[in-house]
Amino acid sequence: MNNDQLSRRDLDVLWHPCTQMKDHESWPPIPIKSGQGVWLEDFDGNRYIDAISSWWVNLFGHANPRIARAISNQAQTLEHVLLAGFTHEPIIELSERLVALAPTGLSRCNYADNGSAAVEIALKMSYQYWRNTGNPKKKKFISLSNSYHGETLGALSVGQVKLYKSIYDSLLLDVIEVPSPDCFNRAAEESCRDYSERMFESMTEALEEHADEVCAVIIEPLVQCAGNMRMYDAVYLKLLRAACDQYNVHLIADEVAVGFGRTGTLFACEQAGITPDMLCLGKGITGGFLPLSVCLTTEKIYQAFYDDYETLKAFLHSHSYTGNALACAAALATLDIFAEDNIIEKNKKLAKNIYDQVAQLQDHPHVAEVRQTGMILAIELIKDKQKKIPYPWQQRLGQKVYQYGLKQGVLLRPLDSVVYLMPPYVINEDEIKKMTSTAITGIHAACQSD
Ligand SMILES: *Cc1c(COP(=O)(O)O)cnc(C)c1O
């Protein structure tokens, strides 16, 4: 089998996610035969550095032997058992370890199998908490502009990226949108911290006006990943924690993308020293091997559901594969690697190295900003730097960088005209060099041909 034969078979029967399938007339899907570390290899023998961790899920390389072994061992013992009425060792141990690692006060783990489902759990849990505690007027949610929380209808409702959302508007919940503290929008002379702090005024106003009808505020701490890797200051999270307490509203931290070291700490909330009422985790939780997600919450919220059966206060949400034992084994192996290999500390050097290699782009006439939070680096391209005019989306500038990268053996997958680097944590110096130099030449080429 070669690339051509496989992509033809693919196009006869598949419908790919987040894809206009007609695009594949020009760019057929690339069949991947194997992965090793940061590398992916296709059926024609071409190799690509996975600079985006396969949609942000991979942490310690493809086919990581420690995670693979843990799954294999688990599969020969117990692959899965329903989690209602039953339990198993991997999920007990994983829950104990997550509670120990998460911000203080999060003491209960409710599992699902993807990030959107973890967000649905948080929304439903918050809504039902207020009903269970005699506040039935609380029915709404507040979210930030440019936020992304997943694709199922509830999660899509609280997201604000119009590209994914507008078509379905009439199916969605009515959500209160507050302007994002995203520092890209600040004036040159204002610091990111000051800007994020100033933008909190809109949140205060929204809470002041709507607190009586609001269950929770949901945010992506520090980086709005799907919203073109826009970043903001931790001060916003501190202010938000205090305001949510003051106005009696839950704070849901969606760390599905930013959790597990992406922002430089194990969880992004640590940088603000806050504990959310619900913490959603997914993506990297299994090192990128298997689907698993979790919503952690506090004892106070848990207790509001804990009562005699007849009170009908129980949280009846479930998924068939909730608490899958193979996924838990992968998650435990992932946590072992964090602990044994001192990953958070080592990533600081990696992050600096990546930044140093691309810092020169700041002077490029079509680079509006090079920004970084921990292991997420983003390069925002712009049509007119002085007048701050973005490239029209129809031009698909990012697609040009993507095509260029593939030819050079690097998988970049820009969001609109933002090229970002979010590689697995096992990337070495040579691989960083190749990844960054390809991004740089790709940006030069795409902006020139425009
Ligand atoms: C990816 C993502 C989700 C959705 O997770 P899925 O596993 O794709 O359903 C939710 N929130 C954030 C912040 C994400 O980046």
Side-chain angles (χ1 to χ4, degrees), residues 39 45 59 161 223 246 259 278 298 370 420 429 443:
W39 294 94
L59 299 185
V161 178
V223 188
Q246 184 190 338
M278 286 104 175
T298 62
V370 178
Y420 69 91
E429 257 174 56
I443 286 167

Side-chain angles (χ1 to χ4, degrees), residues 348-389:
K348 289 182 185 156
K349 233 172 96 186
L350 283 184
K352 182 175 183 317
N353 188 352
I354 294 171
Y355 185 84
D356 289 346
Q357 304 281 332
V358 298
Q360 50 170 292
L361 278 173
Q362 242 139 12
D363 301 327
H364 189 282
H366 291 289
V367 171
E369 186 177 63
V370 178
R371 54 180 175 266
Q372 185 181 39
T373 301
M375 288 295 286
I376 307 172
L377 183 135
I379 303 152
E380 178 124 8
L381 306 179
I382 198 160
K383 191 174 169 73
D384 190 318
K385 200 165 174 169
Q386 271 68 48
K387 295 185 193 141
K388 276 208 164 190
I389 302 171

Side-chain angles (χ1 to χ4, degrees), residues 118-404:
V119 168
E120 300 286 345
I121 288 174
L123 299 176
K124 287 174 69 179
M125 194 182 273
S126 176
Y127 173 84
Q128 190 176 342
Y129 171 91
W130 295 116
R131 285 185 70 91
N132 283 2
T133 56
N135 294 281
K137 274 200 285 189
K138 283 179 174 286
K139 290 177 184 174
K140 284 195 172 180
F141 295 92
I142 295 179
S143 70
L144 296 177
S145 59
N146 192 46
S147 59
Y148 179 87
H149 297 289
E151 298 291 341
T152 52
L153 292 176
L156 196 62
S157 298
V158 288
Q160 300 294 357
V161 178
K162 304 294 176 244
L163 176 65
Y164 306 126
K165 180 175 185 179
S166 355
I167 294 171
Y168 310 102
D169 267 347
S170 60
L171 298 179
L172 302 179
L173 303 172
D174 181 20
V175 168
I176 299 161
E177 180 178 355
V178 168
S180 165
D182 163 13
C183 293
F184 184 74
N185 298 319
R186 75 190 190 279
E189 59 281 0
E190 191 169 24
S191 75
C192 182
R193 189 182 193 285
D194 288 349
Y195 182 78
S196 293
E197 190 167 350
R198 187 160 62 76
M199 288 305 286
F200 194 75
E201 286 165 23
S202 309
M203 182 61 81
T204 309
E205 280 164 25
L207 285 167
E208 182 77 49
E209 188 181 341
H210 299 289
D212 290 350
E213 46 168 352
V214 167
C215 300
V217 177
I218 180 167
I219 42 114
E220 299 157 272
L222 300 186
V223 188
Q224 296 185 313
C225 292
N228 294 354
M229 300 293 166
R230 293 294 181 81
M231 300 172 183
Y232 62 91
D233 193 274
V235 68
Y236 195 88
L237 300 173
K238 274 192 203 140
L239 294 169
L240 184 58
R241 177 66 278 176
C244 285
D245 287 340
Q246 184 190 338
Y247 288 100
N248 208 24
V249 161
H250 291 143
L251 171 54
I252 303 171
D254 176 358
E255 294 215 21
V256 169
V258 297
F260 298 100
R262 287 292 178 196
T263 66
T265 45
L266 189 61
F267 301 115
C269 282
E270 292 170 29
Q271 295 183 38
I274 62 151
T275 300
D277 297 288
M278 286 104 175
L279 174 67
C280 301
L281 303 172
K283 291 199 168 113
I285 191 170
T286 62
F289 271 67
L290 286 165
L292 180 72
S293 66
V294 61
C295 172
L296 286 98
T297 193
T298 62
E299 210 57 22
K300 179 177 176 193
I301 289 174
Y302 173 78
Q303 285 299 333
F305 295 76
Y306 193 94
D307 207 338
D308 295 327
Y309 184 80
E310 296 73 21
T311 62
L312 294 178
K313 283 188 175 174
F315 189 52
L316 297 181
H317 186 104
S318 71
H319 296 284
S320 310
Y321 278 99
T322 294
N324 178 261
L326 297 176
C328 291
L332 287 169
T334 300
L335 292 182
D336 286 342
I337 297 175
F338 269 108
E340 291 163 17
D341 293 5
N342 199 20
I343 297 299
I344 297 293
E345 214 35 53
K346 281 190 191 154
N347 278 358
K348 289 182 185 156
K349 233 172 96 186
L350 283 184
K352 182 175 183 317
N353 188 352
I354 294 171
Y355 185 84
D356 289 346
Q357 304 281 332
V358 298
Q360 50 170 292
L361 278 173
Q362 242 139 12
D363 301 327
H364 189 282
H366 291 289
V367 171
E369 186 177 63
V370 178
R371 54 180 175 266
Q372 185 181 39
T373 301
M375 288 295 286
I376 307 172
L377 183 135
I379 303 152
E380 178 124 8
L381 306 179
I382 198 160
K383 191 174 169 73
D384 190 318
K385 200 165 174 169
Q386 271 68 48
K387 295 185 193 141
K388 276 208 164 190
I389 302 171
Y391 281 104
W393 62 269
Q394 296 88 338
Q395 209 167 315
R396 304 185 77 179
L397 192 76
Q399 183 72 15
K400 289 181 190 149
V401 180
Y402 173 67
Q403 292 304 330
Y404 178 90

